[in-house]
Amino acid sequence: MARAFAPGKCILFGEHAVVYGYPAVAVAIDAGVEVSISESSEWTIEGTEFEPSRHPHITHIIRDVFGYNGTPLDIDIKSGLFSAAGLGSSAAISNAMGAALQFHLKPDEVLDRIGLARMGHSAEAIAQKGRASPTDTATSALGGCVVVSGDLVDGTEHVFDATLETPEGERSWSISKTTIPEDLDAWIVLGFTGVGSPTGRMVAGVANLLESDPSKESDMEAIGNITNAGLAALSAGNLEAVGIAMSACHERLKSLQVSSPELEHLIAAVGPHSLGAKMTGAGGGGCMVALTRDPRRVAEAIEIAGGKPLISRLGAEGARIIRKT
Ligand code: MEV
């Protein structure tokens, strides 16, 4: 059996704008997805027949990326992430599947995290009708704190570049990593609204809004500036400034019409106990994130307000093979 784990992600700054080449900052979170594969007499997933059309990400990795047509596989997925909730569960599934399959086929090879990030991005691009940044897959594959931008952001460590043909023309991104001070006395608390929201629909909604109201481009530019300021604050360990930047980013996302009443409700509930809070990921439901020195109190506030909390460090380890001990 081959097993691999890939973490989910939380975007601190820059979602949606990053699709258009503006910068985004994301961290890998403690929760994620574990995929196990073993050879079998027929193709199965979670104990039932594997229907490729119901699992486009996994099918893309098996067929298009690895060109696998060997012995049928039994695929088992254990997810600790809320799905369609902005935590990158589809990216984590792609990465864990890719890592498990690589280990199954070439057990002696070192895990190619950049290769994983690229294959996950191509799967996301298919699912999001050609409009997908590499943020989710790169953060899950590489781990830590990842910066994705049209141009390399000063002070970050370049890892790889990605390009994609989108409905608005070819886009390219520089993917880099940045170091967060180790002694940071803060956690992120994610709050799931309970409302799932497909990323592709939200991304398409923003594209339509920009077309019908070009003045919304100013929100994109503002998100870019906020992201740069938030990144500088994070690298310097200035938590108060990080929190202010997160809340400012949320106001601009609201203007892009990607928040929801449920997100606003949870964000208001954590206000007294956090340094800053915002929606995270595609929005329209899904999760909000708060930065705090008091994660238990924030988790309680989320629960009392009807949400589901998840506490994480900022920047967990990236995708990995789970070897037998
Ligand atoms: C989704 O987690 C993040 C978005 O910016 C889409 C993307 O980057 O592909 C909304």
Side-chain angles (χ1 to χ4, degrees), residues 40-243:
S40 170
S41 55
E42 53 195 67
W43 282 92
T44 58
I45 186 160
E46 310 280 76
T48 60
E49 187 189 344
F50 180 76
E51 288 175 41
S53 61
R54 292 192 57 210
H55 305 281
H57 288 77
I58 292 180
T59 305
H60 173 69
I61 304 281
I62 295 171
R63 285 189 186 160
D64 308 338
V65 178
F66 283 87
Y68 181 81
N69 54 11
T71 308
L73 299 174
D74 178 24
I75 303 164
D76 190 47
I77 301 175
K78 285 195 190 73
S79 179
L81 300 171
F82 311 117
S83 69
L87 301 185
S89 80
S90 60
I93 289 174
S94 296
N95 283 338
M97 180 68 207
L101 197 51
Q102 187 201 302
F103 183 58
H104 178 66
L105 298 172
K106 297 171 187 167
D108 298 327
E109 271 188 17
V110 173
L111 182 62
D112 173 11
R113 290 202 167 95
I114 295 174
L116 278 187
R118 286 190 195 286
M119 71 176 82
H121 184 211
S122 58
E124 297 281 80
I126 294 168
Q128 291 174 210
K129 300 195 169 45
R131 289 189 194 95
S133 82
T135 312
D136 294 17
T137 51
T139 309
S140 170
L142 304 175
C145 183
V146 170
V147 180
V148 177
S149 178
D151 301 307
L152 178 64
V153 175
D154 282 351
T156 63
E157 185 196 325
H158 178 256
V159 182
F160 73 104
D161 294 317
T163 52
L164 181 72
E165 197 55 53
T166 76
E168 286 78 33
E170 188 178 271
R171 291 231 176 265
S172 38
W173 294 269
S174 166
I175 294 97
S176 55
K177 288 195 75 170
T178 190
T179 315
I180 299 180
E182 269 177 26
D183 54 352
L184 216 58
D185 174 29
W187 284 260
I188 47 175
V189 186
L190 295 141
F192 181 40
T193 56
V195 182
S197 172
T199 302
R201 198 176 65 204
M202 300 310 295
V203 170
V206 171
N208 292 340
L209 181 68
L210 288 175
E211 205 185 330
S212 62
D213 181 358
S215 73
K216 293 286 177 187
E217 188 62 39
S218 63
D219 289 317
M220 293 285 178
E221 282 166 23
I223 290 176
N225 292 333
I226 292 166
T227 300
N228 285 328
L231 176 60
L234 188 62
S235 308
N238 182 348
L239 294 172
E240 276 70 21
V242 176

